Amino acid sequence: MAVSSLVQCHVGWCGLTLQRWQMNCQNRTLAAWTSATAQWTYKQNRHAEQLRMSKVRPSILWRAGPLGRRALHTSFASSQEVMLTSERYGVQRLPFSHVSDSDLAFFERIIPGGVITDPEELKPFNVDWLQSVRGSSKLLLRPQTTAEVSEILRYSNERNLAVNPQGGNTGLVGGSVPVFDEIILSTALMNQVISFDSVSGILVCQAGCILENLNRYLEELDFIMPLDLGAKGSCHIGGNVATNAGGLRLLRYGSLRGTVLGLEVVLANGSVLNCLASLRKDNTGYDLKQLFIGSEGTLGVITAVCILCPRKPMAVNLAFLGCQSFSQILETFTTCKRMLGEILSAYEFMDDRCMKLVVSHLKLSNPVTESPFFILIETSGSNSTHDQEKLNNFLECVMASGLVTDGTVATDDKKIKTLWALRERITEALTYDGYVFKYDISLPVEKLYDLVIDTRVRLGRSAKNVVGYGHLGDGNLHLNITAESYSHSLLDAIEPFVYEWTAKYSGSISAEHGLGFKKKHYIQYSKPWEAVLLMQQFKAMLDPKGILNPYKTLPSSS
Amino acid sequence: MAVSSLVQCHVGWCGLTLQRWQMNCQNRTLAAWTSATAQWTYKQNRHAEQLRMSKVRPSILWRAGPLGRRALHTSFASSQEVMLTSERYGVQRLPFSHVSDSDLAFFERIIPGGVITDPEELKPFNVDWLQSVRGSSKLLLRPQTTAEVSEILRYSNERNLAVNPQGGNTGLVGGSVPVFDEIILSTALMNQVISFDSVSGILVCQAGCILENLNRYLEELDFIMPLDLGAKGSCHIGGNVATNAGGLRLLRYGSLRGTVLGLEVVLANGSVLNCLASLRKDNTGYDLKQLFIGSEGTLGVITAVCILCPRKPMAVNLAFLGCQSFSQILETFTTCKRMLGEILSAYEFMDDRCMKLVVSHLKLSNPVTESPFFILIETSGSNSTHDQEKLNNFLECVMASGLVTDGTVATDDKKIKTLWALRERITEALTYDGYVFKYDISLPVEKLYDLVIDTRVRLGRSAKNVVGYGHLGDGNLHLNITAESYSHSLLDAIEPFVYEWTAKYSGSISAEHGLGFKKKHYIQYSKPWEAVLLMQQFKAMLDPKGILNPYKTLPSSS
């Protein structure tokens, strides 16, 4: 059992290094460290009980069912119907054509069996994972090849039918579901690996491959995907690229703008743009593929991806630490970068309110003593002895100096996953807390948590919880506000306050989630009007009729 | 003296590890290693003699003089006038306006003292570093601010005056000098660092900062630039970004597409596009800056750059190794990636003909016994003990298995530079060998050297030298062919042969040098026509009159 193994590992590892700790640490910090170990043994039993209990209530699964993540959505949708986006936000439908019987007949000829019109089957594809926006599409298409996507778009463009490309539908800004009756073009059946070269580490695959499946495939070949995120069990690599997903490994392996080497994209008029070169370097003309990375399906449909994959690290270590203040988190980060250097692969933080949510809603156990903040540090390297020595030295240093007051470490895969869950499943825990207002902000790291404090003060009791967590190593804060239900007045209290605050410190109002439907009107807080104008010109050039993912990403140019 | 220190270091380091070598290595490989050490002592004296001799002949300096790299060009130009590009290649001038007296008066008002019309002063700015293309510009403008660049372009666009943006003029494909009488817009006086944040490692600077100066500035703050290349003493960061320069650190820190976080660009009509956000992550709309990275000044003039800089490694080691075959180089690379992992920062190769050129033309010493191939491996890490242990283990492994037959190692900064010079100064050595036909090719690594062999066979005695070297870790070959002088018939024997060969193996005809003037007609060997068409549409949209760096990068759309 995962939790029990984690305890054993933790104790074992501490045992190995205890001698060094005793030599170097102050008694105060050492006591905190060892008491955390003892605490685990108690929690192990409590957690086993909680796990049994948790089976009673429906749990959220990040696994793909036979039809995407339908099981999850259906269970949600049956309990409470999500308000239509068009009604909640008062959006006007653009003058696209409506799908006719002859359209259906055409699509059926192109992709026999891949045309879904059953309203019940369509339900989960019309609602986002957060249950915050809902469209009313009457048609889901599931092509298997690029040629089929090309035919679908060519026809749709001619007929002026709007199309909503959809990957795993795990987006958080309402970008992946229709606003009205757009045709949903799912990449779910485009899930084949095309090639992998084990000398260069270059993977070419179809856009609908699920991130976790790709990672599993690569791990058997001693490689990994250069990105990792909580939704990995459902999200598609095509969607990851279309939204320029960041996630947990960006600190180490960089953004998709560097690791994506090639793309195959079908444009709005159905023409296929093949920029799928499997080369580390290619400076022949403008790098067109970059325009599609992060364009959220508004400029073209990504059908295949070529990506550079790093070797699977031979040693991974995780440290989960308690910290008394945000300034100590920052100082620990500077120390960490200096002492762990090239093996540092993640530096995540969460506040105590996040911890309370994952403990109360998901029945996870907090492995360290209560603290205002928690840090999760991951190292990935090629030599376990060297890595553990570096990590030991670092931990001794931050404990001795009082920067960190408690902590636990894991080296075994299973236990690492259990610790990672505390951070990765915050998003899920929040959905159990009520309606969630989500903000994904880039800021200079020194200012990162001030926004959480100021928002908390501003909202007072009108919010249920105001929590902050995120990828501190990338200057990326996830600010989340929960309430019993959606409320216009609460939204008005949050926006544009959060955006103005962010703009004041030259931050970005969307670090990694994109703009989708919910944030598109706030782009000017992070981009000058000349830039927005240029984006609108690109959109008009590549998709003159605006059929691709309408109502998303950019404010309308009129 | 550098060479003497290198010898001492080499001996010292070998002494330290000799015991381990004796324990683990076969006698054969060990003998080769230690004989290289002895060989150095002899070469030290010979090299000192050669250094004295080398002072007699004019040497090429990569340092910037008061007016860019004028000293170098002047000395060249005085000895032999380079044929005009328009004549050699039979290009027709496009119907741009000619610079008038009233234009000069306008520019003098905008940038008093920054308007240069003296033909002698203009000479070096009209000729590329390779002495292979020459324009006939009569006007050089040297603005200091973005506002000045904006005014210059707004006016030029209105007047239909063509403009050639120029950084350090170190490009290798004729992209940085005019073809006819385009106004040269130099970034040389835009050389200020705007800000540096030592927590995030984010640098913001003007486009005309010289790469080496930036690196020196950062080193004092314990950081480095994420790119490094032979021309670092002259090239401008704006030019690096405009050409998407690769270089020696790409293997470790990734491409500029990942490390450049923001750009400020002046468009053809003079409008300033501020995408200079100093954030690691920003997903608000399309990533416009990417379009300008690698666009070679044809879409806009980059005036400022925001770039993510890594920490200065605490330990750097260099190994220079001899290898008997290219397949052994590949096997050594796989072993190297496995055993050095995260500390590997460069894996370069060169063939014996390159070595002969740097030895004969630049009087550098070959530190290892003659071999058909040489490898240069660099490690950069945060712990010298760990790094040396990793490197030792790796060297023991490749020597014991016979993959590597001779080698030398350096850990001290000065000696590292001396070893790096053997690789970095090949470009320079080639210019002494005659007229150089340069090819910068991306290929699957297994095929990399076959192109050199096939080209050598094809050209026979019509070429003076056919050499291959490059960034093997990135699949990037620099194929260079020298001849006594430029010859149409030799060029016809090389092209399109090299491009067809490259296309056959799905390579890129320009890995990192760009297309510039010389390669633009060959873009179709690496890009489908749909992509080229789209590039032309972008160009037409952003620069409708085509005033920015005309005759470059893209074939004309007519």
Side-chain angles (χ1 to χ4, degrees), chain A residues 202-258:
Chain A
I202 294 174
L203 171 80
V204 184
C205 66
Q206 282 191 297
C209 291
I210 290 173
L211 180 60
E212 196 173 48
N213 294 351
L214 288 175
N215 207 58
R216 247 187 245 127
Y217 166 85
L218 289 171
E219 281 195 331
E220 287 186 13
L221 302 163
D222 251 351
F223 283 80
I224 56 168
M225 289 295 283
L227 76 159
D228 185 22
L229 49 152
K232 61 188 156 216
S234 302
C235 63
H236 296 187
I237 185 66
N240 296 149
V241 175
T243 55
N244 188 29
L248 307 164
R249 288 179 185 158
L250 188 135
L251 182 69
R252 173 65 171 275
Y253 301 113
S255 86
L256 290 174
R257 304 208 169 273

Side-chain angles (χ1 to χ4, degrees), chain B residues 207-449:
Chain B
C209 292
I210 290 173
L211 181 59
E212 195 172 49
N213 294 352
L214 288 176
N215 207 58
R216 247 188 244 127
Y217 166 85
L218 289 171
E219 281 195 331
E220 288 186 12
L221 301 164
D222 252 350
F223 283 80
I224 56 168
M225 287 296 281
L227 77 160
D228 185 22
L229 50 153
K232 59 187 157 220
S234 302
C235 64
H236 296 186
I237 186 66
N240 296 148
V241 174
T243 56
N244 189 27
L248 307 164
R249 289 179 184 158
L250 188 135
L251 183 70
R252 174 64 172 274
Y253 302 114
S255 85
L256 290 175
R257 302 207 171 274
T259 52
V260 171
L261 302 179
L263 288 182
E264 182 189 64
V265 182
V266 181
L267 302 181
N269 64 6
S271 68
V272 180
L273 189 66
N274 184 348
C275 299
L276 208 51
S278 305
L279 300 164
R280 182 90 197 250
K281 287 170 163 180
D282 175 25
N283 268 356
T284 51
Y286 313 147
D287 191 1
L288 298 177
K289 72 171 184 291
Q290 294 289 345
L291 209 57
F292 301 95
I293 301 176
S295 68
E296 306 184 82
T298 62
L299 296 179
V301 177
I302 294 170
T303 47
V305 174
C306 171
I307 191 163
L308 184 67
C309 302
R311 281 208 156 254
K312 184 180 173 182
M314 292 190 207
V316 175
N317 296 297
L318 211 71
F320 195 87
L321 312 173
C323 214
Q324 295 308 307
S325 73
F326 191 74
S327 66
Q328 288 180 327
I329 284 191
L330 293 180
E331 209 176 321
T332 306
F333 179 51
T334 309
T335 311
C336 183
K337 285 212 291 186
R338 183 170 45 82
M339 297 186 73
L340 297 181
E342 63 280 359
I343 63 165
L344 178 63
S345 55
Y347 191 97
E348 302 285 313
F349 90 100
M350 57 197 276
D351 62 17
D352 56 348
R353 304 198 188 196
C354 291
M355 180 60 86
K356 285 192 178 81
L357 292 176
V358 293
V359 168
S360 63
H361 293 303
L362 304 179
K363 312 303 171 197
L364 303 186
S365 293
N366 175 3
V368 300
T369 50
E370 291 300 331
S371 308
F373 295 97
F374 302 92
I375 314 172
L376 189 150
I377 293 170
E378 188 192 71
T379 67
S380 308
S382 59
N383 184 313
S384 60
T385 312
H386 291 171
D387 294 2
Q388 287 197 4
E389 195 178 314
K390 284 189 180 91
L391 186 59
N392 277 0
N393 291 343
F394 161 73
L395 290 172
E396 282 167 13
C397 171
V398 290
M399 291 288 277
S401 63
L403 284 175
V404 163
T405 47
D406 189 16
T408 184
V409 174
T411 54
D412 178 82
D413 197 41
K414 278 188 185 168
K415 301 114 205 175
I416 284 171
K417 279 185 178 149
T418 307
L419 278 185
W420 257 120
L422 289 164
R423 164 64 189 82
E424 283 189 293
R425 295 183 66 190
I426 298 172
T427 309
E428 188 186 336
L430 281 159
T431 63
Y432 282 93
D433 206 49
Y435 186 90
V436 192
F437 298 88
K438 297 190 87 67
Y439 300 91
D440 165 41
I441 306 288
S442 267
L443 280 169
V445 283
E446 314 83 63
K447 301 302 298 174
L448 213 62
Y449 202 73

Side-chain angles (χ1 to χ4, degrees), chain A residues 74-360:
Chain A
T74 311
S75 67
F76 260 111
S78 60
S79 60
Q80 190 185 356
E81 195 78 294
V82 177
M83 197 172 174
L84 280 171
T85 307
S86 53
E87 288 174 13
R88 176 172 284 169
Y89 292 92
V91 197
Q92 289 298 306
R93 187 180 181 280
L94 291 169
F96 296 110
S97 304
H98 293 269
V99 175
S100 68
D101 286 347
S102 66
D103 296 333
L104 292 178
F106 174 84
F107 291 130
E108 189 62 50
R109 277 201 302 279
I110 300 296
I111 45 168
V115 178
I116 287 117
T117 53
D118 174 16
E120 277 305 307
E121 267 195 273
L122 272 161
K123 265 188 180 172
F125 298 90
N126 268 313
V127 184
D128 72 325
W129 182 80
L130 285 173
Q131 306 275 298
S132 63
V133 283
R134 184 161 70 90
S136 49
S137 176
K138 293 170 181 62
L139 176 60
L140 167 71
L141 300 179
R142 289 155 55 92
Q144 287 182 293
T145 68
T146 302
E148 289 168 359
V149 174
S150 168
E151 273 297 287
I152 290 167
L153 287 189
R154 188 191 56 71
Y155 180 86
S156 300
N157 192 50
E158 278 172 20
R159 277 275 297 123
N160 195 34
L161 289 163
V163 177
N164 180 107
Q166 191 178 88
N169 193 10
T170 60
L172 301 173
V173 288
S176 57
V177 294
V179 175
F180 291 94
D181 58 344
E182 300 90 273
I183 296 169
I184 300 169
L185 179 61
S186 167
T187 51
L189 299 186
M190 303 182 72
N191 55 7
Q192 301 299 303
V193 169
I194 297 166
S195 68
F196 179 69
D197 177 38
S198 60
V199 175
S200 61
I202 294 174
L203 171 80
V204 184
C205 66
Q206 282 191 297
C209 291
I210 290 173
L211 180 60
E212 196 173 48
N213 294 351
L214 288 175
N215 207 58
R216 247 187 245 127
Y217 166 85
L218 289 171
E219 281 195 331
E220 287 186 13
L221 302 163
D222 251 351
F223 283 80
I224 56 168
M225 289 295 283
L227 76 159
D228 185 22
L229 49 152
K232 61 188 156 216
S234 302
C235 63
H236 296 187
I237 185 66
N240 296 149
V241 175
T243 55
N244 188 29
L248 307 164
R249 288 179 185 158
L250 188 135
L251 182 69
R252 173 65 171 275
Y253 301 113
S255 86
L256 290 174
R257 304 208 169 273
T259 52
V260 171
L261 301 178
L263 288 182
E264 182 189 65
V265 181
V266 181
L267 303 182
N269 63 5
S271 69
V272 179
L273 188 67
N274 184 347
C275 299
L276 208 52
S278 304
L279 301 164
R280 182 87 196 251
K281 286 169 163 182
D282 176 24
N283 268 356
T284 51
Y286 313 147
D287 192 0
L288 297 177
K289 70 171 185 290
Q290 293 290 345
L291 209 57
F292 301 95
I293 301 176
S295 68
E296 305 184 82
T298 61
L299 296 179
V301 177
I302 294 169
T303 48
V305 173
C306 172
I307 191 163
L308 183 68
C309 303
R311 282 208 157 254
K312 184 180 171 181
M314 293 190 206
V316 174
N317 296 296
L318 211 70
F320 195 87
L321 313 172
C323 215
Q324 294 307 307
S325 72
F326 192 73
S327 67
Q328 288 180 328
I329 283 191
L330 292 180
E331 209 177 322
T332 306
F333 180 50
T334 308
T335 310
C336 183
K337 285 212 289 186
R338 181 170 48 81
M339 297 188 71
L340 297 181
E342 63 279 0
I343 64 166
L344 178 63
S345 53
Y347 192 97
E348 302 284 313
F349 90 101
M350 57 197 275
D351 63 16
D352 57 347
R353 303 195 188 197
C354 291
M355 181 60 86
K356 285 193 178 81
L357 291 176
V358 293
V359 167
S360 63

Side-chain angles (χ1 to χ4, degrees), chain A residues 463-479:
Chain A
K464 194 171 167 189
N465 271 301
V466 178
V467 309
Y469 63 101
H471 318 289
L472 188 126
D474 313 324
N476 184 184
L477 167 75
H478 294 315
L479 165 69

